[in-house]
Amino acid sequence: YSIKQRVFKTLLPYLWLTLASLVYALGFNWCYVPNLIGFGGITGVGQIINSFLPQVPIGMVVIVLNLPLFALGWKLIGGHLLVTSLFTMVVSSLAIDGMTALLGPFGPMEPLLACIYGGVLMGASLGVVFLQGATTGGTDLIARLLKLKLAWLPMGKLLMIIDLVVIVAVALAFGNLNSGLYGLVALYISTLVMDMVLYGLDNAKVAYVISDSYQDIADAIIRDIDRGVTLLNGQGAYSGAEKKVLMVAFKQRQIVQIKRLVKEIDPVAFVIVCEAHEVLGDGFREYKQNDI
């Protein structure tokens, strides 16, 4: 790589993190604050403190409360994640306070619309942040730490579990049950969007095909759809007959081709199509160290 390419490669993640931080701040200021919707994490704690001390900016509260978490994270996950997370946390926190100072408070909207759009903006921004190997600090950082021990849990689900407690606390602080209920709706939407950003681009399915014409079907899938096929040994529980089971992983968009091809070769073939949370390997996503 040339020096210019190396500089661009280094700066590009920070450009994405800056954009995601601005979207995060916009979603919070536009959808959550004026509609008194409970938000999880350290930002939610900032909402609680701000409700009792309005003169204390939420962004500054977030920065102060994150310092001990970053000290813990430095020992457990190392420098790169902490540097990018510190950058994201500072930019998003300053953006929250800066938008309020420059643009003034946003007006309230229909709460359900606020939940939907707030959840989409927050989920999308957090998904981009995690894809760049960072967090926004707070419970995002806690979730990233827990992911080291609970690697099988999606990031969105981890965050949802942690944030539930904070949302309940925000509702109690506001003295408004609707604040917590709307917060749960927004949290659920943001979780779906976040996991879609993190894993949805690799959306794949797995098909199991049981047919006497298994070899013809396997050859056609390899030739026409360019997907690998694995032959599994099976046995009918009732008949005791030996069967070959084809297993093939494929992209979501190829499902129609797969079913059409199988039925053209063997109209009575038994086909089971399952959702694949994630597929790593040739033709799909590559595994990376500390993958989320």
Side-chain angles (χ1 to χ4, degrees):
Y1 292 110
S2 66
I3 295 178
K4 183 182 294 185
Q5 288 175 317
R6 285 199 296 268
V7 170
F8 179 76
K9 187 177 180 181
T10 302
L11 292 181
L12 183 60
Y14 289 93
L15 293 175
W16 278 111
L17 291 174
T18 300
L19 176 62
S21 297
L22 294 176
V23 172
Y24 180 93
L26 174 64
F28 182 72
N29 284 334
W30 179 34
C31 300
Y32 287 81
V33 175
N35 299 286
L36 296 179
I37 294 175
F39 191 73
I42 298 297
T43 308
V45 177
Q47 276 185 299
I48 296 173
I49 295 176
N50 180 259
S51 68
F52 292 107
L53 300 171
Q55 68 274 19
V56 179
I58 294 176
M60 293 307 299
V61 173
V62 172
I63 291 176
V64 171
L65 294 181
N66 266 295
L67 294 179
L69 286 174
F70 275 93
L72 174 64
W74 188 274
K75 293 183 178 181
L76 295 178
I77 14 182
H80 174 72
L81 175 62
L82 267 297
V83 170
T84 53
S85 298
L86 182 63
F87 174 84
T88 307
M89 184 268 292
V90 170
V91 173
S92 61
S93 299
L94 293 179
I96 287 174
D97 291 344
M99 283 184 186
T100 303
L102 294 175
L103 304 177
F106 287 88
M109 69 172 79
E110 168 61 40
L112 190 56
L113 288 178
C115 288
I116 295 172
Y117 286 100
V120 169
L121 290 173
M122 289 300 188
S125 61
L126 289 175
V128 171
V129 167
F130 283 126
L131 281 177
Q132 299 305 315
T135 73
T136 58
T139 51
D140 301 351
L141 182 55
I142 294 173
R144 192 65 176 83
L145 292 169
L146 288 175
K147 183 72 174 175
L148 297 176
K149 297 293 183 182
L150 304 172
W152 52 274
L153 266 178
M155 283 298 296
K157 301 297 187 298
L158 272 174
L159 275 174
M160 183 170 67
I161 294 169
I162 297 169
D163 287 342
L164 280 175
V165 177
V166 180
I167 288 177
V168 171
V170 172
L172 292 174
F174 288 162
N176 185 347
L177 178 61
N178 286 345
S179 175
L181 294 177
Y182 282 126
L184 292 177
V185 174
L187 175 62
Y188 179 72
I189 293 172
S190 67
T191 298
L192 293 179
V193 174
M194 185 193 313
D195 283 343
M196 190 180 301
V197 172
L198 290 173
Y199 311 113
L201 295 179
D202 299 307
N203 191 21
K205 293 183 180 294
V206 174
Y208 297 93
V209 182
I210 303 171
S211 169
D212 292 333
S213 303
Y214 65 89
Q215 192 60 60
D216 292 337
I217 294 174
D219 292 342
I221 290 174
I222 295 170
R223 181 185 65 249
D224 299 340
I225 304 181
D226 194 26
R227 285 294 167 201
V229 180
T230 300
L231 286 176
L232 306 176
N233 293 319
Q235 184 179 30
Y238 178 75
S239 65
E242 296 291 335
K243 292 284 186 180
K244 290 292 185 181
V245 181
L246 306 180
M247 182 182 73
V248 54
F250 57 94
K251 296 287 188 179
Q252 167 75 37
R253 63 180 179 271
Q254 295 174 313
I255 186 170
V256 174
Q257 290 176 277
I258 292 280
K259 291 193 293 185
R260 181 186 297 125
L261 183 150
V262 170
K263 290 303 177 182
E264 284 177 353
I265 296 174
D266 183 2
V268 296
F270 194 75
V271 181
I272 303 171
V273 179
C274 308
E275 294 288 345
H277 170 67
E278 195 170 11
V279 179
L280 304 177
D282 186 30
F284 294 90
R285 196 163 69 87
E286 294 183 2
Y287 172 76
K288 298 179 182 178
Q289 189 175 10
N290 297 324
D291 211 347
I292 56 176

